[in-house]
Amino acid sequence: MRILAFETTCDETAVCLLDGSRLLSNVVFSQISLHRKYSGVVPELASRAHLEKISPVLGAALSKAGYKRPFFRNGLLNGPKIDAVVFSRGPGLPGALLVSRVAAEAAARLLGAKLLGVNHLEGHFLAYEYEGIRASRRIKFPCIGLIVSGGHTELWKVEGYGRYKVLGRTRDDAAGEAFDKVAKLLGLEYPGGPSVQKAALKAVPAAAGGFAFPRPYMEDSFDFSFSGLKTAVAYRLRDLLGPDFYEKRLRLSPSGIASVCLAFEEAVADTLVHKTAKACAALGIKRVVVGGGVAANLRLRRKFAGLSASAGYEVGFAEKQYCTDNAAMIALCGARRLQARMPAGSLDIAPDLAAAAWR
Ligand code: KG4
Ligand code: ZN
């Protein structure tokens, strides 16, 4: 089965070709440089950039896969033989989602292929199955899924492909959003996750201990809340630098920034591991799969490795290149759905699409 997939939910324009379990191409154009000066994604700029890039990115994906000169025959594109065209229908930015929707429909019609709309968060979960360019690992069910991205933080019980139950989700900021906002407070570059991680690696643990930030465990539920943690960082900076430190662009010393980054990362990672372990214990499940941009975080990976060693849990992370947004994970959503003969589902874009809306 050969699948062409499109991903434009946020600030990456991505297209890939998946042939069976092997990626023939996987092209990602990141808009980070476009949004950096605003320290966050500007939706209108994102949609425009997707529109400009979707065609060249598709061209690059086709030519990398070896399809140099597609041509038309009997009204169909006589290029690659494609069985299905898959796109993320949500969650994401409305204008950005439309770009994939339109491109995927046009491609499916020209190629005479099936068209499928899938859930972007399911893609983050299934991304674990890639090893290099091959989707050669299989997730074992039942398992607990932890999705930690720029827009979402969700904990799921997963019983099989397409069988997800949401246990908890963030009530305010997503984990990635908290990284991005704390980086902004500290004067670090967007996206905040990689910047905070880089600074934290230079920290002296004893110095970071002075910044013991709260762990928002919220023991009565599986929900998350990271906005209080972000505010705790803001208050510490205000105490150290003065009330209008942000407006005046006052910054801590590099070692102070490193300490805050380490202490913040520790608080986020402890919280994510704690709540995941709690879900595992409550449901009697010892397998965990972690996906999404924040899953690239080294400290989080290390903490989960500790949980795995101490409690005997099997914890799987998507490879780093598949943690942030890409089309390969979207292609896999389509592949697994077709293999399991699940219904094609809706083709409408759904900016607020949630796992609970699945079956
Ligand atoms: O999954 P993703 O590419 O996009 C969404 O679906 O939102 O995630 C992007 C988020 C950003 O908030 C970014 O700061 C965060 O993932 N991120 C990281 C790291 N790399 C990316 N957060 C922590 N540590 C990282 N190494
Ligand atoms: Zn994402």
Side-chain angles (χ1 to χ4, degrees):
M1 182 166 25
R2 199 167 292 172
I3 291 182
L4 172 67
F6 291 86
E7 156 61 40
T8 59
T9 55
C10 189
D11 61 345
E12 263 91 28
T13 315
V15 180
C16 82
L17 262 159
L18 177 67
D19 184 23
S21 64
R22 194 166 73 95
L23 279 170
L24 301 179
S25 62
N26 183 31
V27 180
V28 181
F29 172 79
S30 168
Q31 301 177 1
I32 282 176
S33 58
L34 178 67
H35 301 289
R36 187 161 269 154
K37 66 172 178 256
Y38 306 100
S39 298
V41 177
V42 182
E44 178 62 19
L45 294 181
S47 329
R48 282 166 189 250
H50 285 309
L51 263 183
E52 278 165 22
K53 287 289 172 192
I54 195 77
S55 189
V57 169
L58 170 62
L62 288 174
S63 85
K64 279 195 180 160
Y67 301 113
K68 299 286 182 222
R69 280 192 288 154
F71 57 94
F72 288 94
R73 186 191 286 163
N74 298 332
L76 292 181
L77 190 66
N78 187 18
K81 166 83 186 78
I82 302 287
D83 300 286
V85 179
V86 183
F87 70 98
S88 305
R89 72 180 193 94
L93 303 169
L97 291 171
L98 279 172
V99 176
S100 271
R101 169 70 178 79
V102 171
E105 177 163 10
R109 284 187 183 217
L110 288 169
L111 294 161
K114 284 192 195 85
L115 179 62
L116 270 86
V118 300
N119 189 311
H120 175 83
L121 299 180
E122 181 178 22
H124 277 308
F125 173 73
L126 295 183
Y128 164 76
E129 297 199 339
Y130 281 105
E131 284 182 299
I133 61 161
R134 282 192 181 274
S136 47
R137 294 197 282 216
R138 280 296 183 125
I139 294 171
K140 292 187 206 133
F141 302 105
C143 69
I144 298 293
L146 174 68
I147 305 303
V148 273
S149 71
H152 296 83
T153 303
E154 302 211 345
L155 201 53
W156 304 339
K157 177 185 180 196
V158 192
E159 286 173 354
Y161 293 112
R163 296 174 62 201
Y164 304 86
K165 183 175 175 229
V166 177
L167 301 172
R169 54 165 58 108
T170 184
R171 293 186 185 171
D172 39 59
D173 292 351
E177 194 177 353
F179 269 97
D180 295 338
K181 287 179 175 170
V182 163
K184 191 172 173 183
L185 288 170
L186 291 166
L188 300 177
E189 263 190 352
Y190 177 84
S195 306
V196 167
Q197 171 171 303
K198 193 169 159 206
L201 286 172
K202 296 186 193 128
V204 178
F211 293 92
F213 294 123
R215 268 72 175 146
Y217 285 164
M218 300 203 301
E219 296 291 5
D220 59 337
S221 90
F222 291 123
D223 281 350
F224 299 91
S225 165
F226 290 107
S227 83
L229 175 56
K230 167 200 68 192
T231 307
V233 174
Y235 283 172
R236 279 308 285 278
L237 294 177
R238 189 194 60 185
D239 294 346
L240 292 166
L241 298 168
D244 39 9
F245 75 94
Y246 187 72
E247 292 71 21
K248 289 190 176 159
R249 296 177 170 268
L250 301 177
R251 308 278 189 247
L252 292 180
S253 66
S255 65
I257 290 177
S259 294
V260 172
C261 287
L262 174 55
F264 169 76
E265 256 191 349
E266 285 278 332
V268 174
D270 279 348
T271 306
L272 293 172
V273 171
H274 176 85
K275 303 221 62 148
T276 307
K278 204 172 137 181
C280 287
L283 282 93
I285 294 175
K286 290 199 151 195
R287 277 190 289 262
V288 178
V289 169
V290 191
V294 180
N297 187 266
L298 290 172
R299 203 163 307 277
L300 183 67
R301 287 174 175 254
R302 228 178 277 153
K303 291 239 179 210
F304 266 113
L307 175 74
S308 167
S310 64
Y313 292 176
E314 234 179 84
V315 185
F317 274 81
E319 284 185 0
K320 285 203 192 96
Q321 58 175 321
Y322 298 112
C323 285
T324 44
D325 292 349
N326 61 84
M329 66 188 199
I330 300 308
L332 210 49
C333 292
R336 296 291 174 256
R337 185 180 292 184
L338 290 169
Q339 283 155 0
R341 299 186 190 283
M342 283 185 245
S346 170
L347 296 175
D348 293 341
I349 64 153
D352 299 322
L353 188 64
W358 310 346
R359 54 191 198 131

